[in-house]
Amino acid sequence: MASIAIDTAEPRGKLFAGPRVRRLRSQLGLTQTRMAEELGVSISYLNLIERNQRPLTAPFLLKLSHQYNLDLRQLTGADDDRLALDVSEALADPLLKGLDVGRAEVQEFVAASPGIAQAIVRLRSALRDARSSGTGAEAPQGDGPLELVRAFIQDRRNHFPELEARAEALADELRLAAPDFFAAVSDRLRARHGLTVRILPAEVMPELLRRLDLHGRQLQLSELLDPASRSFQAAYQLALSEGRGEIDAIVARAGMPDAASERLLVQNLANYFAAALMMPYGRFHTACEATGYDLDLLQARFSAGLEQVAHRLTTLQRPGARGIPFFLVRVDRAGNISKRFSAGGFPFSRHGGNCPLWTLHKAFERPGQILRQLVEMEDGAKYVSIARTVRAYAQPYGGVRPEYAIALGCEARHAHGLVYARGLDLGSGEATPIGLGCELCERPHCRQRARPPANSSLIIDEKQRGPNPVQFGHAG
């Protein structure tokens, strides 16, 4: 399968992206005259585009991409869609009940004023923190480290070229040293950094899976880790030892507001480096294209775990060698989101509440099996989704072993080379209508609905009862 093609004839209408083009020009420090000259168009034409009076054509998009080395998905609205979702969640606050703000109005506002939209989201986050802490106005302001780091990674589309390049070069060296990845990393840590890798019994490390003992010059790993996890943890240490320069440079540019956020970002980037070391970009991308992104084959080929492979698939954003733009979300049985990444534009619910009609939640009923589903969001976008349970490290008898379900997917228009899409009618085929949780979903006839959407009113009619458990109408 070839790399992702530019699809400007979007099924949901012409691409109007004037505010995004204007923001791009501002970020580049260009005047309209200068950008028009560099793109070979008239100033009046560029002005019409920025004012949303002309759609972006395929030739214009190609010129933008070539001139500014641009990922064209920056202009397709994926980032604005995520911000619009966050604003909608903010407007769903009980304090704002009664406002009649529709989805189209939110999207127009985000496109025109993204800075103010981000401010609203931060204020909503601060209010949520204040309520949860019970300290009122004295509560911490803004997102915590988890959300700050997630937002930074998402802004970079979960792709860090500097880490990819360093990890790929190091992976080539390791392949020459030994055919077994874990052995090669262990030898490298011992020879270059004076660290011996030891696998210790669970009773020796009852509360730890990995421990760096600098006094004894040992990297200690628990026997509870499976082989793929042992390889990953050893690679994590090698990332901190040999990729720290690149990691620290990214952290410095990120401008995190506190030490906790910086440390968490270092940890995330070291994890990224470790995965890139186990699954080097060039070889992994080639294998993905050849196998149709078959998770089982990729696990076997790279001696990796299912979640490791799925997470790695969301990072394939190298210009000229992009993979399918996947999203990944991980939840527990209660629906709590503990991991979410997106190389495309899937509109995650930021604070949980995913749709129960999504097979992500049914995966717990069939552990170990891959469930596929064609789903359709309220805006008409269709996605191919595959879901499966994953288990964490082993546990001694009687211990609680964490269990999660992950969903990996992409827009249907990108799924033609995906092995899991075989036999599905990606165009006009019937798709399961899902939403972003009851508070944000406005589908009127959903029989699974638990509550009316925010900024709507509950309709109670004692004279009749239909199949839908909740009836609602819009305020106003």
Side-chain angles (χ1 to χ4, degrees):
M1 189 188 76
S3 298
I4 299 169
I6 298 170
D7 184 1
T8 57
E10 295 194 350
R12 285 166 281 168
K14 297 178 180 180
L15 177 58
F16 289 89
R20 291 191 285 274
V21 173
R22 186 166 59 249
R23 293 204 302 272
L24 171 66
R25 179 170 61 78
S26 177
Q27 291 167 359
L28 295 172
L30 301 176
T31 63
Q32 273 193 345
T33 302
R34 177 68 180 276
M35 176 175 267
E37 290 176 353
E38 292 181 350
L39 296 177
V41 299
S42 67
I43 300 174
S44 60
Y45 178 70
L46 180 59
N47 185 46
L48 289 172
I49 284 179
E50 290 192 358
R51 286 159 48 196
N52 262 356
Q53 295 182 4
R54 290 288 186 277
L56 273 64
T57 64
F60 185 81
L61 284 167
L62 289 172
K63 289 177 181 178
L64 277 174
S65 175
H66 177 75
Q67 183 67 33
Y68 306 117
N69 191 26
L70 181 68
D71 180 353
L72 293 181
R73 279 172 286 204
Q74 290 178 235
L75 299 173
T76 62
D79 293 333
D80 282 1
D81 288 344
R82 283 189 290 273
L83 183 55
L85 173 61
D86 288 344
V87 171
S88 294
E89 288 190 342
L91 294 176
D93 190 279
L95 288 175
L96 303 177
K97 187 172 181 60
L99 295 178
D100 190 8
V101 183
R103 184 171 290 110
E105 187 176 351
V106 170
Q107 291 172 338
E108 290 176 4
F109 167 68
V110 167
S113 305
I116 299 176
Q118 290 170 352
I120 290 174
V121 173
R122 290 190 181 185
L123 287 171
R124 162 59 176 153
S125 180
L127 178 61
R128 189 182 68 251
D129 290 343
R131 286 170 174 166
S132 62
S133 67
T135 56
E138 301 302 319
Q141 300 298 302
D143 286 330
L146 281 173
E147 285 302 325
L148 287 170
V149 170
R150 281 177 177 172
F152 173 75
I153 291 174
Q154 187 59 60
D155 286 344
R156 295 286 298 268
R157 295 186 176 272
N158 198 24
H159 180 70
F160 298 89
E162 54 272 72
L163 298 186
E164 295 286 0
R166 182 71 184 93
E168 200 160 24
L170 181 53
D172 288 340
E173 294 182 42
L174 294 175
R175 288 185 75 193
L176 295 175
D180 178 76
F181 180 82
F182 180 72
V185 173
S186 299
D187 288 345
R188 181 85 170 199
L189 287 170
R190 177 182 50 79
R192 293 288 184 94
H193 307 286
L195 292 173
T196 300
V197 179
R198 293 192 62 193
I199 310 298
L200 296 180
E203 58 268 25
V204 176
M205 299 176 63
E207 301 296 332
L208 294 173
L209 298 176
R210 182 193 72 240
R211 178 175 182 267
L212 178 61
D213 179 7
L214 290 174
H215 178 73
R217 304 303 300 170
Q218 292 181 356
L219 175 63
Q220 300 169 348
L221 303 178
S222 171
E223 66 179 351
L224 299 178
L225 296 170
D226 60 33
S229 296
R230 292 178 186 178
S231 293
F232 186 87
Q233 295 301 331
Y236 174 89
Q237 183 58 50
L238 193 56
L240 291 177
S241 299
E242 300 199 22
R244 194 57 187 258
E246 289 82 359
I247 290 173
D248 286 346
I250 295 172
V251 172
R253 292 195 298 271
M256 289 292 158
D258 53 66
S261 299
E262 287 188 349
R263 290 196 298 270
L264 183 60
L265 182 54
V266 168
Q267 184 182 72
N268 275 264
L269 294 175
N271 285 334
Y272 185 105
F273 192 103
L277 201 57
M278 289 180 67
M279 296 164 274
Y281 197 104
R283 286 193 285 128
F284 187 71
H285 178 260
T286 298
C288 289
E289 301 278 289
T291 64
Y293 295 80
D294 189 306
L295 294 175
D296 289 326
L297 290 180
L298 294 171
Q299 285 184 82
R301 191 165 301 184
F302 292 91
S303 301
L306 175 75
E307 189 173 347
Q308 292 171 348
V309 169
H311 191 169
R312 182 64 170 141
L313 288 175
T314 68
T315 68
L316 301 182
Q317 302 300 302
R318 177 179 287 176
R322 289 193 172 94
I324 290 176
F326 283 106
F327 67 81
L328 170 70
V329 62
R330 185 181 71 180
V331 301
D332 60 21
R333 284 183 176 271
N336 298 306
I337 297 176
S338 54
K339 181 180 288 188
R340 51 181 167 84
F341 295 100
S342 179
F346 189 76
F348 292 117
S349 177
R350 192 178 185 191
H351 303 296
N354 285 308
C355 183
L357 299 178
W358 193 8
T359 53
L360 169 63
H361 303 287
K362 295 181 181 179
F364 290 107
E365 302 171 11
R366 298 166 65 180
Q369 297 184 38
I370 289 181
L371 308 179
R372 69 174 186 172
Q373 186 182 30
L374 183 64
V375 300
E376 183 174 358
M377 305 303 292
E378 284 187 86
D379 63 359
K382 291 184 178 181
Y383 296 84
V384 174
S385 167
I386 57 175
R388 211 202 82 169
T389 54
V390 292
R391 300 293 295 270
Y393 48 89
Q395 274 286 349
Y397 178 75
V400 177
R401 187 177 186 182
E403 186 179 22
Y404 303 96
I406 63 170
L408 182 74
C410 65
E411 277 199 74
R413 61 192 176 121
H414 295 309
H416 294 283
L418 186 63
V419 65
Y420 303 104
R422 292 175 183 172
L424 294 178
D425 184 351
L426 301 178
S428 58
E430 183 176 351
T432 302
I434 69 171
L436 300 173
C438 292
E439 287 192 350
L440 297 175
C441 178
E442 297 183 356
R443 294 187 187 276
H445 304 300
C446 177
R447 300 189 180 187
Q448 190 68 54
R449 179 175 291 282
R451 62 180 63 86
N455 299 323
S456 69
S457 56
L458 181 65
I459 297 177
I460 301 175
D461 188 347
E462 68 277 7
K463 297 180 181 179
Q464 60 184 12
R465 203 284 194 191
N468 301 326
V470 178
Q471 302 291 327
F472 64 92
H474 289 289

